[in-house]
Amino acid sequence: MTTTTLPSSTFSSTRTLLTCGVLAGPVFVVTGLLQGLTRAGFDFTRHPASLLSNGSLGFVQIANFLVTGLLTIAAAAGIRRVLPGRWGPRLLTVYGVGLLCAGVFTADPQDGFPAGTPAGPPSAISWHGTLHFAAGGIGFLALVAACFAIGSHLPPARAWYSRLSGLLFLAGFAGVASGSASPVVTLGFWAAVAVAFTWLATTSTYLRSRGESR
C-alpha cells in the first residue's frame, strides 16, 4: 500500500476529516434505528429509511441525511490526502452529495407510512420523489465504485474486504431497485447500508492510524 506522507500539522486536520468517516455510519444508522423504533406505523420489514423524512418528525431524517452527507464528503477529503488515487475520493464525494440530495428531495409517503398513508406504492410519484430516487441511485453506484477504487490502494486483505463490502452493498441495492416488497429484500438493504458504513468507518480508522504511526 502506498500512502502520502503529510507534515504533522497537516495530518492533524486530515485526522479530523478521517474521523468524520468513522462517525458517518453510527450517526446515520443509530438515528434511523431510533426513529424506526419510535415512530408510529414504521416497519423495518417494509419501509426504507428514506420514508422517515415524511410526517411531523420528518425533519429528523432530513437532518440525518444532510449531516451524514457532510461527514461523508469530509471523509472523502481526508482519504484524498493520504491515498495516491483520486477516483476513490471523488466517487465517495458523489455518494456524499447523493445523501445531501436525498435530504433536500424527500421520498414520497407510501405503504402505510406515515400513519394514515394508503397501503402499497404511491399513486403518483412527485418531482421530489423522482429526484430522491435518482440521487440515491447515482450515489449508491458511486459508493460501490468507491469501494473498489479505494480498495485498490490498500493492502491485499483490506482490498478484498473493500471489494466484498462493495459487492454486498450492490446486492442489497439491486434487491430494492428491483421493486420487490419482500421483507428479506427490505431488511437486506438495511443490512447493506450498515455494511457500507462499517467499511467507511474501518477504512477511515485504518488510514488515520497509519498516519499517526508515521
Side-chain angles (χ1 to χ4, degrees):
M1 170 186 151
T2 302
T3 56
T4 302
T5 302
L6 299 172
S8 58
S9 58
T10 302
F11 193 78
S12 178
S13 61
T14 302
R15 184 170 58 244
T16 300
L17 292 172
L18 292 172
T19 299
C20 291
V22 178
L23 296 175
V27 167
F28 187 84
V29 174
V30 172
T31 302
L33 288 176
L34 289 176
Q35 290 181 89
L37 291 171
T38 57
R39 293 191 59 184
F42 192 85
D43 184 344
F44 287 102
T45 67
R46 295 162 47 213
H47 302 136
S50 294
L51 293 188
L52 291 167
S53 295
N54 294 290
S56 60
L57 294 176
F59 68 92
V60 176
Q61 182 59 22
I62 291 172
N64 193 21
F65 276 125
L66 297 177
V67 171
T68 305
L70 292 174
L71 290 172
T72 301
I73 292 170
I79 292 172
R80 182 186 178 100
R81 291 186 180 186
V82 296
L83 289 183
R86 292 293 176 257
W87 275 110
R90 288 171 181 168
L91 290 163
L92 189 59
T93 298
V94 171
Y95 175 59
V97 172
L99 288 169
L100 294 178
C101 291
V104 173
F105 306 112
T106 58
D108 294 311
Q110 63 179 21
D111 202 15
F113 189 84
T117 301
S123 56
I125 300 179
S126 67
W127 64 270
H128 54 82
T130 300
L131 290 176
H132 179 91
F133 286 113
I138 294 171
F140 292 152
L141 292 176
L143 175 58
V144 172
C147 289
F148 280 82
I150 292 172
S152 67
H153 298 286
L154 298 175
R158 289 191 171 274
W160 279 108
Y161 166 63
S162 189
R163 295 174 189 131
L164 179 60
S165 297
L167 289 174
L168 290 173
F169 184 79
L170 178 61
F173 171 53
V176 295
S178 71
S180 172
S182 165
V184 173
V185 169
T186 305
L187 289 173
F189 187 63
W190 276 95
V193 170
V195 166
F197 276 123
T198 298
W199 164 79
L200 178 58
T202 56
T203 300
S204 298
T205 299
Y206 172 73
L207 294 175
R208 186 179 61 179
S209 66
R210 288 277 300 182
E212 292 171 345
S213 66
R214 287 201 294 268

